[in-house]
């Protein structure tokens, strides 16, 4: 049976078998020491010169070789303890060594925190970069936060439901990633920008309380803290008003901080609710940093920004179908958001004045989530799409399923979708979200380890009915 490094301090005098990586090897004349590393930590192993064969084998060891070591857990001689390691009072006196895998010299230092190493290299050899204790800790913190969310929501009777990845475009303001269909030549799936329409359809289905740790895909231009794919805690509730959704979110986030990050201080509870207008007037942004002391690593200033305008004027984007002319009204959040104004007031000429039941969730100057109460009257929803410049037949083609579903007894509903990546980044004090994602992409959307995106084989293209137009040489 294997013993983990973290369990060795309780096994003084016992024979143990350890497995892991050689962190460092030190030659001290006749003795050889190695620091053996597993996911839980490091322990010192000593090879005694009495066993010549064993010593000769230990002499071959190099950093990152994978080994199996049998030996006795011993207290270290006095004066040789290392108070910085949890296993610093003990060491393993090796009796047997088996080399399970050799390793090439790694392209960079694995023992450091890694901030000093060029990111391209770290991403190319991500499986080595992840051996760094800092990154393993980030992955584990992420897992704990997600588990907490799941437990909390299950206790509140939410059901976690998976929604499709191969789907149809959801208009949430970004470009879609598309997937060609082999069976339906010339047709495409889109990867979801979020499960927005599915979660609303689950409300029609009577699920009432849904959540999902959902992957979202948005083909946007490079911006510092964005990834082509990212993770959200996506949730939706029927018969709930704004205050119930914000209250639930607040309780969940206070729970996460107080349980998993007890050293951190939340600046204000309940979280302040600031109107969009006040935020813009007072702070000049809709994601204000409300920390009292911005140098304090442990301060968390959560807030909800509420009362957003429904529409904003968007200059022409020639790549969209509605991109002709000088511009159009676009939804500030998304078209499914409920407008506060009366039915009679909802028209294109009033677009600028219409106010939405939308809320954003901010933390320390970052937008960490957003949501809204949804418009569940299919006629008003159709009107919203029209104000946004869509033709009647396009609305039916793109959203017919939703408008139809809303004719079969739709409960009033609303939801929110806080991002996981930014939250973990802030709680772990990391400078960007790539540090808390196992396999992130570069700023220009490449996976340097898998070398993706990449070209397809001619046969694959043919099967997918795709012809590539060669880019003209410049
Ligand atoms: N789907 C929205 C988003 O991803 C959030 C929501 O309205 O629930 O921003």
């Amino acid at each position: 049976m294997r013993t983990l490094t973290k369990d060795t301090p309780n096994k003084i005098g016992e024979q143990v078998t350890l497995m892991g990586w050689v962190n460092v090897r030190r030659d001290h004349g006749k003795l050889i020491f190695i620091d053996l590393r597993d996911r839980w930590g490091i322990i010192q192993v000593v090879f005694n010169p009495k066993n010549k064969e064993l010593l000769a084998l230990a002499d071959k060891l190099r950093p990152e070789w994978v080994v199996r070591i049998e030996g006795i857990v011993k207290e270290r001689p006095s004066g040789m303890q290392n108070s910085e390691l949890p296993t610093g009072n003990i060491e393993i006196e090796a009796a047997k060594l088996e080399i399970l895998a050799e390793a090439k010299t790694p392209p960079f230092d694995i023992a450091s925190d890694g901030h000093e190493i060029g990111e391209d290299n770290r991403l190319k050899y991500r499986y080595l970069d992840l051996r760094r204790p800092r990154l393993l800790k980030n992955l584990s913190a992420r897992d704990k936060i997600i588990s907490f969310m799941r437990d909390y929501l299950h206790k509140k009777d939410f059901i976690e439901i998976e929604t499709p990845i191969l789907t149809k475009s959801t208009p949430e303001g970004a470009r879609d990633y598309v997937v060609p269909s082999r069976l339906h030549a010339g047709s495409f799936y889109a990867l979801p920008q979020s499960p927005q329409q599915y979660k609303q359809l689950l409300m029609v289905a009577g699920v009432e309380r849904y959540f999902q740790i959902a992957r979202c895909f948005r083909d946007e231009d490079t911006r510092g803290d964005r990834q082509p794919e990212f993770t959200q805690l996506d949730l939706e509730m029927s018969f709930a008003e704004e205050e119930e959704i914000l209250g639930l979110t607040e309780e969940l986030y206070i729970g996460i901080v107080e349980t998993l990050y007890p050293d951190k201080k939340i600046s204000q509870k309940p979280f302040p609710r600031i109107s969009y207008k006040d935020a813009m007037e007072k702070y000049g942004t809709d994601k204000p940093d409300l920390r009292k002391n911005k140098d304090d690593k442990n301060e968390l200033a959560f807030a909800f920004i509420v009362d957003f305008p429904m529409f904003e004027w968007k200059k022409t984007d020639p790549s969209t179908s509605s991109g002709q002319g000088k511009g159009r009204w676009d939804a500030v959040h998304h078209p499914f958001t409920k407008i506060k104004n009366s039915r009679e007031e909802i028209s294109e000429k009033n677009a600028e004045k219409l106010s939405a039941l939308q809320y954003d969730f901010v933390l320390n100057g970052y937008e960490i989530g957003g949501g809204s109460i949804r418009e569940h009257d299919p006629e008003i929803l159709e009107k919203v799409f029209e104000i946004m410049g869509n033709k009647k037949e396009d609305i039916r083609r793109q959203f017919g399923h939703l408008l139809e579903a809303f004719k079969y007894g739709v409960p009033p509903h609303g939801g929110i979708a806080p991002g996981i990546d930014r939250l973990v980044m802030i709680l772990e004090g990391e400078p960007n979200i790539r540090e808390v994602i196992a396999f992130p992409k570069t700023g220009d959307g490449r996976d340097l380890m898998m070398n993706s995106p990449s070209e397809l084989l001619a046969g694959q293209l043919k099967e997918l009915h795709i012809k590539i137009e060669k880019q003209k040489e410049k």
Side-chain angles (χ1 to χ4, degrees):
M1 257 270 283
R2 176 188 179 204
T3 298
L4 308 177
T5 54
K6 72 176 167 76
D7 296 326
T8 48
N10 310 321
K11 294 190 183 282
I12 295 175
E14 289 178 37
Q15 165 101 30
V16 293
T17 302
L18 293 163
M19 294 187 216
W21 288 260
V22 175
N23 203 49
V24 281
R25 196 196 62 154
R26 288 182 295 276
D27 247 316
H28 280 217
K30 289 184 186 133
L31 293 176
I32 294 177
F33 291 94
I34 65 161
D35 283 347
L36 181 79
R37 187 186 76 235
D38 65 13
R39 210 188 87 200
W40 294 269
I42 280 177
I43 186 157
Q44 174 165 290
V45 181
V46 51
F47 293 89
N48 197 299
K50 275 183 255 161
N51 186 338
K52 291 234 158 47
E53 226 174 276
L54 184 64
L55 197 72
L57 193 58
D59 192 41
K60 285 190 174 171
L61 295 176
R62 293 292 175 273
E64 301 310 312
W65 285 29
V66 185
V67 292
R68 177 181 187 279
I69 289 169
E70 279 177 39
I72 309 255
V73 185
K74 295 219 158 154
E75 270 178 293
R76 288 200 201 179
S78 66
M80 309 289 273
Q81 288 101 340
N82 177 353
S83 58
E84 275 165 30
L85 280 184
T87 60
N89 291 334
I90 54 169
E91 61 190 9
I92 308 294
E93 192 180 278
K96 224 169 153 185
L97 164 67
E98 191 185 332
I99 294 167
L100 301 175
E102 297 187 4
K104 283 169 71 176
T105 305
F108 46 66
D109 187 7
I110 286 166
S112 73
D113 72 12
H115 288 304
E116 75 293 356
I117 302 163
E119 204 180 21
D120 279 9
N121 225 12
R122 288 182 55 204
L123 292 180
K124 179 162 181 212
Y125 296 97
R126 188 60 160 179
Y127 45 87
L128 295 179
D129 195 41
L130 288 174
R131 287 186 189 170
R132 223 175 275 297
R134 176 174 66 91
L135 290 206
L136 280 177
K137 180 171 166 282
N138 288 349
L139 294 185
S140 161
R142 186 183 177 107
D143 170 52
K144 288 199 179 92
I145 291 168
I146 290 175
S147 290
F148 191 97
M149 290 171 166
R150 285 202 159 103
D151 287 351
Y152 172 87
L153 291 168
H154 283 142
K155 277 189 204 123
K156 301 264 175 194
D157 263 344
F158 281 75
I159 310 179
E160 181 167 17
I161 300 174
E162 294 158 82
T163 53
I165 294 295
L166 291 179
T167 172
K168 188 177 160 119
S169 152
T170 311
E172 294 197 30
R175 260 182 218 96
D176 291 315
Y177 281 100
V178 293
V179 180
S181 162
R182 177 180 61 82
L183 293 176
H184 304 279
S187 292
F188 293 80
Y189 301 97
L191 305 183
Q193 289 184 34
S194 88
Q196 186 64 34
Q197 293 188 51
Y198 285 107
K199 69 172 172 176
Q200 292 196 239
L201 290 164
L202 286 171
M203 296 304 106
V204 182
V207 166
E208 297 210 19
R209 294 177 183 198
Y210 142 94
F211 84 98
Q212 178 177 198
I213 304 298
R215 196 68 63 82
C216 303
F217 305 86
R218 298 182 189 176
D219 188 359
E220 291 176 301
D221 290 338
T222 314
R223 265 201 262 166
D225 215 21
R226 290 197 185 259
Q227 284 278 306
E229 55 183 296
F230 59 92
T231 310
Q232 287 184 338
L233 164 61
D234 191 44
L235 68 87
E236 196 77 6
M237 288 176 92
S238 291
F239 308 108
E241 293 185 356
E242 177 169 307
E243 195 42 49
E244 190 176 350
I245 294 166
L246 299 189
L248 176 100
T249 309
E250 180 175 272
E251 191 180 81
L252 167 60
Y253 279 69
I254 292 175
I256 291 172
V257 173
E258 292 183 349
T259 313
L260 301 175
Y261 295 87
D263 294 340
K264 300 212 181 269
K265 285 255 160 340
I266 297 176
S267 324
Q268 207 181 322
K269 283 188 290 190
F271 302 162
R273 278 119 164 103
I274 306 168
S275 74
Y276 171 80
K277 187 165 169 279
D278 287 354
M280 294 309 283
E281 277 171 16
K282 198 160 164 201
Y283 307 101
T285 170
D286 58 2
K287 34 179 187 288
D289 187 346
L290 301 174
R291 281 177 294 177
K292 293 183 187 98
N293 176 0
K294 300 202 174 48
D295 298 327
D296 178 357
K297 284 200 194 93
N298 281 333
E299 187 178 351
L300 297 172
F302 290 98
F304 291 113
I305 311 298
V306 297
D307 297 336
F308 278 78
M310 179 66 196
F311 296 109
E312 63 192 344
W313 186 254
K314 196 175 169 187
K315 293 249 165 64
T316 300
D317 176 355
S319 66
T320 63
S321 56
S322 49
Q324 291 99 37
K326 55 191 183 331
R328 65 175 182 95
W329 290 109
D330 196 15
V332 172
H333 188 48
H334 51 54
F336 313 107
T337 301
K338 191 178 181 75
I339 296 172
K340 277 190 187 171
N341 307 61
S342 69
R343 198 185 185 92
E344 295 70 43
E345 286 174 288
I346 301 175
S347 67
E348 192 177 347
K349 73 172 180 4
N350 281 339
E352 201 172 352
K353 291 185 222 125
L354 300 175
S355 153
L357 277 167
Q358 178 202 335
Y359 28 84
D360 270 5
F361 189 24
V362 301
L363 168 59
N364 294 3
Y366 289 93
E367 184 195 322
I368 59 161
S372 61
I373 298 300
R374 323 301 182 188
E375 181 52 70
H376 70 285
D377 179 331
E379 278 175 25
I380 298 182
L381 194 53
E382 218 171 329
K383 182 93 214 165
V384 168
F385 288 128
E386 274 175 37
I387 295 175
M388 287 170 63
N390 297 291
K391 294 195 198 81
K392 270 224 167 10
E393 64 266 25
D394 290 341
I395 300 171
R396 296 267 149 79
R397 190 172 44 82
Q398 282 186 285
F399 307 105
H401 54 282
L402 198 71
L403 297 168
E404 172 75 359
F406 281 8
K407 290 174 187 155
Y408 289 91
V410 53
H413 58 282
I416 192 165
I420 307 264
D421 307 303
R422 281 192 197 154
L423 177 71
V424 183
M425 170 190 91
I426 296 167
L427 291 175
E428 286 299 312
E430 288 291 0
N432 66 65
I433 57 173
R434 296 182 298 281
E435 302 292 337
V436 301
I437 296 173
F439 298 106
K441 296 191 173 53
T442 57
D444 61 351
R446 282 174 306 142
D447 178 335
L448 298 176
M449 183 183 67
M450 304 287 270
N451 196 16
S452 134
S454 57
E455 290 177 5
L456 295 184
L457 297 173
Q460 285 176 299
L461 287 174
K462 194 161 179 246
E463 234 173 26
L464 294 169
H465 326 281
I466 289 181
K467 280 208 181 80
I468 304 287
E469 260 182 39
K470 285 269 173 282
Q471 296 270 338
K472 286 205 186 85
E473 304 263 336
K474 280 190 192 142

PDB file of all heavy atoms in Angstrom, residues 185-199:
ATOM      1  N   ALA A 185     -25.420  18.769 -44.710  1.00  0.00           N
ATOM      2  CA  ALA A 185     -24.446  19.568 -45.462  1.00  0.00           C
ATOM      3  C   ALA A 185     -24.832  21.039 -45.473  1.00  0.00           C
ATOM      4  O   ALA A 185     -25.999  21.376 -45.720  1.00  0.00           O
ATOM      5  CB  ALA A 185     -24.360  19.049 -46.891  1.00  0.00           C
ATOM      6  N   GLY A 186     -23.865  21.887 -45.173  1.00  0.00           N
ATOM      7  CA  GLY A 186     -24.104  23.327 -45.235  1.00  0.00           C
ATOM      8  C   GLY A 186     -24.754  23.895 -43.981  1.00  0.00           C
ATOM      9  O   GLY A 186     -24.964  25.097 -43.884  1.00  0.00           O
ATOM     10  N   SER A 187     -25.091  23.035 -43.015  1.00  0.00           N
ATOM     11  CA  SER A 187     -25.674  23.532 -41.757  1.00  0.00           C
ATOM     12  C   SER A 187     -24.644  23.464 -40.640  1.00  0.00           C
ATOM     13  O   SER A 187     -23.725  22.641 -40.675  1.00  0.00           O
ATOM     14  CB  SER A 187     -26.892  22.696 -41.364  1.00  0.00           C
ATOM     15  OG  SER A 187     -27.926  22.921 -42.282  1.00  0.00           O
ATOM     16  N   PHE A 188     -24.855  24.301 -39.662  1.00  0.00           N
ATOM     17  CA  PHE A 188     -23.877  24.426 -38.571  1.00  0.00           C
ATOM     18  C   PHE A 188     -24.557  24.425 -37.210  1.00  0.00           C
ATOM     19  O   PHE A 188     -25.651  24.974 -37.057  1.00  0.00           O
ATOM     20  CB  PHE A 188     -23.125  25.757 -38.707  1.00  0.00           C
ATOM     21  CG  PHE A 188     -22.249  25.813 -39.923  1.00  0.00           C
ATOM     22  CD1 PHE A 188     -22.799  26.099 -41.168  1.00  0.00           C
ATOM     23  CD2 PHE A 188     -20.898  25.561 -39.832  1.00  0.00           C
ATOM     24  CE1 PHE A 188     -22.003  26.134 -42.310  1.00  0.00           C
ATOM     25  CE2 PHE A 188     -20.089  25.594 -40.958  1.00  0.00           C
ATOM     26  CZ  PHE A 188     -20.640  25.878 -42.202  1.00  0.00           C
ATOM     27  N   TYR A 189     -23.895  23.828 -36.247  1.00  0.00           N
ATOM     28  CA  TYR A 189     -24.264  24.037 -34.849  1.00  0.00           C
ATOM     29  C   TYR A 189     -23.507  25.277 -34.374  1.00  0.00           C
ATOM     30  O   TYR A 189     -22.534  25.687 -35.011  1.00  0.00           O
ATOM     31  CB  TYR A 189     -23.797  22.881 -33.963  1.00  0.00           C
ATOM     32  CG  TYR A 189     -24.338  21.527 -34.334  1.00  0.00           C
ATOM     33  CD1 TYR A 189     -23.602  20.645 -35.115  1.00  0.00           C
ATOM     34  CD2 TYR A 189     -25.585  21.124 -33.852  1.00  0.00           C
ATOM     35  CE1 TYR A 189     -24.089  19.395 -35.436  1.00  0.00           C
ATOM     36  CE2 TYR A 189     -26.077  19.858 -34.167  1.00  0.00           C
ATOM     37  CZ  TYR A 189     -25.323  19.002 -34.966  1.00  0.00           C
ATOM     38  OH  TYR A 189     -25.807  17.766 -35.265  1.00  0.00           O
ATOM     39  N   ALA A 190     -23.941  25.837 -33.234  1.00  0.00           N
ATOM     40  CA  ALA A 190     -23.114  26.854 -32.586  1.00  0.00           C
ATOM     41  C   ALA A 190     -22.828  26.364 -31.175  1.00  0.00           C
ATOM     42  O   ALA A 190     -23.651  25.655 -30.574  1.00  0.00           O
ATOM     43  CB  ALA A 190     -23.856  28.174 -32.547  1.00  0.00           C
ATOM     44  N   LEU A 191     -21.646  26.693 -30.653  1.00  0.00           N
ATOM     45  CA  LEU A 191     -21.370  26.394 -29.248  1.00  0.00           C
ATOM     46  C   LEU A 191     -22.055  27.485 -28.415  1.00  0.00           C
ATOM     47  O   LEU A 191     -22.106  28.633 -28.834  1.00  0.00           O
ATOM     48  CB  LEU A 191     -19.862  26.394 -28.987  1.00  0.00           C
ATOM     49  CG  LEU A 191     -19.022  25.469 -29.871  1.00  0.00           C
ATOM     50  CD1 LEU A 191     -17.561  25.522 -29.430  1.00  0.00           C
ATOM     51  CD2 LEU A 191     -19.530  24.037 -29.791  1.00  0.00           C
ATOM     52  N   PRO A 192     -22.590  27.125 -27.252  1.00  0.00           N
ATOM     53  CA  PRO A 192     -23.396  28.109 -26.511  1.00  0.00           C
ATOM     54  C   PRO A 192     -22.569  29.263 -25.946  1.00  0.00           C
ATOM     55  O   PRO A 192     -21.544  29.034 -25.311  1.00  0.00           O
ATOM     56  CB  PRO A 192     -24.001  27.277 -25.368  1.00  0.00           C
ATOM     57  CG  PRO A 192     -23.075  26.112 -25.193  1.00  0.00           C
ATOM     58  CD  PRO A 192     -22.504  25.825 -26.546  1.00  0.00           C
ATOM     59  N   GLN A 193     -23.041  30.502 -26.171  1.00  0.00           N
ATOM     60  CA  GLN A 193     -22.425  31.647 -25.483  1.00  0.00           C
ATOM     61  C   GLN A 193     -22.775  31.587 -24.002  1.00  0.00           C
ATOM     62  O   GLN A 193     -22.067  32.113 -23.147  1.00  0.00           O
ATOM     63  CB  GLN A 193     -22.923  32.948 -26.095  1.00  0.00           C
ATOM     64  CG  GLN A 193     -22.360  33.167 -27.486  1.00  0.00           C
ATOM     65  CD  GLN A 193     -22.765  34.495 -28.075  1.00  0.00           C
ATOM     66  OE1 GLN A 193     -22.911  35.474 -27.362  1.00  0.00           O
ATOM     67  NE2 GLN A 193     -22.933  34.529 -29.376  1.00  0.00           N
ATOM     68  N   SER A 194     -23.890  30.938 -23.703  1.00  0.00           N
ATOM     69  CA  SER A 194     -24.298  30.572 -22.341  1.00  0.00           C
ATOM     70  C   SER A 194     -25.527  29.678 -22.534  1.00  0.00           C
ATOM     71  O   SER A 194     -26.079  29.648 -23.625  1.00  0.00           O
ATOM     72  CB  SER A 194     -24.663  31.807 -21.518  1.00  0.00           C
ATOM     73  OG  SER A 194     -26.023  32.140 -21.672  1.00  0.00           O
ATOM     74  N   PRO A 195     -25.933  28.944 -21.504  1.00  0.00           N
ATOM     75  CA  PRO A 195     -27.128  28.089 -21.708  1.00  0.00           C
ATOM     76  C   PRO A 195     -28.435  28.876 -21.597  1.00  0.00           C
ATOM     77  O   PRO A 195     -29.472  28.316 -21.234  1.00  0.00           O
ATOM     78  CB  PRO A 195     -27.027  27.061 -20.573  1.00  0.00           C
ATOM     79  CG  PRO A 195     -25.699  27.269 -19.937  1.00  0.00           C
ATOM     80  CD  PRO A 195     -25.295  28.677 -20.209  1.00  0.00           C
ATOM     81  N   GLN A 196     -28.402  30.171 -21.884  1.00  0.00           N
ATOM     82  CA  GLN A 196     -29.535  31.061 -21.627  1.00  0.00           C
ATOM     83  C   GLN A 196     -30.898  30.506 -22.054  1.00  0.00           C
ATOM     84  O   GLN A 196     -31.817  30.408 -21.252  1.00  0.00           O
ATOM     85  CB  GLN A 196     -29.286  32.411 -22.304  1.00  0.00           C
ATOM     86  CG  GLN A 196     -30.322  33.455 -21.979  1.00  0.00           C
ATOM     87  CD  GLN A 196     -30.324  33.807 -20.492  1.00  0.00           C
ATOM     88  OE1 GLN A 196     -29.283  33.802 -19.852  1.00  0.00           O
ATOM     89  NE2 GLN A 196     -31.484  34.074 -19.942  1.00  0.00           N
ATOM     90  N   GLN A 197     -31.019  30.140 -23.335  1.00  0.00           N
ATOM     91  CA  GLN A 197     -32.357  29.718 -23.793  1.00  0.00           C
ATOM     92  C   GLN A 197     -32.741  28.378 -23.179  1.00  0.00           C
ATOM     93  O   GLN A 197     -33.901  28.162 -22.836  1.00  0.00           O
ATOM     94  CB  GLN A 197     -32.394  29.647 -25.312  1.00  0.00           C
ATOM     95  CG  GLN A 197     -32.253  31.020 -25.934  1.00  0.00           C
ATOM     96  CD  GLN A 197     -32.481  30.989 -27.427  1.00  0.00           C
ATOM     97  OE1 GLN A 197     -33.480  30.456 -27.902  1.00  0.00           O
ATOM     98  NE2 GLN A 197     -31.542  31.548 -28.171  1.00  0.00           N
ATOM     99  N   TYR A 198     -31.764  27.481 -23.034  1.00  0.00           N
ATOM    100  CA  TYR A 198     -32.094  26.178 -22.434  1.00  0.00           C
ATOM    101  C   TYR A 198     -32.580  26.334 -21.001  1.00  0.00           C
ATOM    102  O   TYR A 198     -33.516  25.671 -20.565  1.00  0.00           O
ATOM    103  CB  TYR A 198     -30.885  25.240 -22.467  1.00  0.00           C
ATOM    104  CG  TYR A 198     -30.603  24.690 -23.835  1.00  0.00           C
ATOM    105  CD1 TYR A 198     -29.519  25.135 -24.572  1.00  0.00           C
ATOM    106  CD2 TYR A 198     -31.432  23.723 -24.396  1.00  0.00           C
ATOM    107  CE1 TYR A 198     -29.258  24.637 -25.844  1.00  0.00           C
ATOM    108  CE2 TYR A 198     -31.187  23.212 -25.658  1.00  0.00           C
ATOM    109  CZ  TYR A 198     -30.099  23.678 -26.374  1.00  0.00           C
ATOM    110  OH  TYR A 198     -29.854  23.169 -27.623  1.00  0.00           O
ATOM    111  N   LYS A 199     -31.899  27.219 -20.243  1.00  0.00           N
ATOM    112  CA  LYS A 199     -32.336  27.320 -18.840  1.00  0.00           C
ATOM    113  C   LYS A 199     -33.724  27.924 -18.754  1.00  0.00           C
ATOM    114  O   LYS A 199     -34.518  27.551 -17.900  1.00  0.00           O
ATOM    115  CB  LYS A 199     -31.304  28.030 -17.966  1.00  0.00           C
ATOM    116  CG  LYS A 199     -31.080  29.499 -18.168  1.00  0.00           C
ATOM    117  CD  LYS A 199     -30.146  30.039 -17.058  1.00  0.00           C
ATOM    118  CE  LYS A 199     -29.708  31.464 -17.305  1.00  0.00           C
ATOM    119  NZ  LYS A 199     -28.910  32.004 -16.211  1.00  0.00           N
TER     120      LYS A 199
END
